[in-house]
Amino acid sequence: MRILIVEDEPTLGPQLKATLEGAGYAVDLATDGEDGHFLGATENYDAAILDLGLPEIDGLTVLDRWRREKRNFPVLVLTARDSWSDKVAGLDAGADDYLAKPFQTEELIARLRALIRRAAGNASSELIAGDVRLDTRSGRVTLAGEPVKLTAQEYKLLSYLLHHKGKVVSRTELIEHIYDQDFDRDSNTIEVFVTRIRKKLGADIITTIRGLGYQLDDPQG
Amino acid sequence: MRILIVEDEPTLGPQLKATLEGAGYAVDLATDGEDGHFLGATENYDAAILDLGLPEIDGLTVLDRWRREKRNFPVLVLTARDSWSDKVAGLDAGADDYLAKPFQTEELIARLRALIRRAAGNASSELIAGDVRLDTRSGRVTLAGEPVKLTAQEYKLLSYLLHHKGKVVSRTELIEHIYDQDFDRDSNTIEVFVTRIRKKLGADIITTIRGLGYQLDDPQG
DNA sequence: CTTCGACAATCAAAATCCGCATTCGGGCAC
DNA sequence: GTGCCCGAATGCGGATTTTGATTGTCGAAG
């Protein structure tokens, strides 16, 4: 999952980035509204964290522009203190959730997870396909009830496929969502991880659509 | 389906081409208006993506010339930012859709699909002929409800015929729309694929019109 | 009705493409 | 330092595409 953070404070921004990366997300950080808007408009994110108090362009403006441009990834807005008006305005402009500063990183992560889950249309924190279950809350994966140890990248890849169950996902799309901006696009990394996941969870979990990408079968779809 | 991209930016152009090819299209790329106009006037495309800011000839001029020459493939115009005037001018000159830069590749693909669909007079994303159904969104084909596995080329061929249901389609036309510019025109590749599709979906799905080409019967039309 | 020629369909082999397994070096964490 | 994970490179194998040759079919003309 790939996240965009738009945050100007020189300490908080990088700190957030580090925390989220530690939690297994691919993170891009923009330090002003101009840059933030551009990234959100150009790249493919699964969610964004947006500070409302920004230099150059105001956070609300950024959000408003994204929505006008039909960018509909979920946005979590950071408001200074309990500024009630900001909160209302943010929700009006199309924010999906808000969090008042200062906040606990744990809460931020929990809310982020909920947002991404909701955006994918899943009610529960558990993603299921066949015998495989992935709990986004604990980060655990089980195969027919037995716990399976996945590495960070394996987990990310599987999680993205589960979030888009039934859809054919191209290699490009996977790379765009699992890694952040700068990544060498032509290598067989994705294939390697698919192979490793198949080795751990069984070959039939991921279907190859030759020439197009990979697909996770949806039993009831 | 064959697409023409007219885009001068040295990174965006090839990148788009690669993405669309990954999505199963045959793509030609022109890097200036002169070349773009020539290709669009000479070859047969199912759609074109046209950047308005071009060297040599302006994008609008290219579009205008095509329309004067009665080239009526759908054109998706790329406008810089939300330049309102460009948008209006583009639609005036005969563009079928527009997209403001920067955009997300997924959205571009979705719109392109819609354009081609609309141009063929289809409202839904599902193409139907007899017992055969093809969903352009997911890329799935079913025969009487049962899923059928088609290879990339088989799919392209079938999809083109379905888009032109009822019409007699010549071999040349098929080759022109399934492959891009450089392709050896005299071979019996098309016949081979027709045979294979018939084997998978039943012989009566595609009718041969001797001396002219192939035709997909339209039961209700 | 028969024959001939042109066109279409089929088959098998060759060439190509694409994905997969494996290996390996570097880096990071413990 | 040691072990594990990541990502790049390589070669293999199978699927797919293409080619070329052969067989089959249709339609017109005699």
Side-chain angles (χ1 to χ4, degrees), chain B residues 74-112:
Chain B
V75 174
L76 193 158
V77 155
L78 300 180
T79 67
R81 299 259 146 184
D82 4 42
S83 149
W84 191 254
S85 58
D86 271 10
K87 196 186 287 182
V88 172
L91 289 173
D92 264 359
D96 299 87
D97 198 358
Y98 53 85
L99 195 55
K101 288 208 261 185
F103 52 83
Q104 300 194 190
T105 47
E106 271 119 3
E107 182 168 6
L108 180 70
I109 291 178
R111 284 180 182 246
L112 202 55

Side-chain angles (χ1 to χ4, degrees), chain A residues 171 188 192 195 198-199 208 210-211 214:
Chain A
R171 219 157 316 222
N188 61 350
V192 172
T195 303
R198 289 215 258 240
K199 207 170 260 173
T208 302
R210 194 161 236 266
Y214 296 100

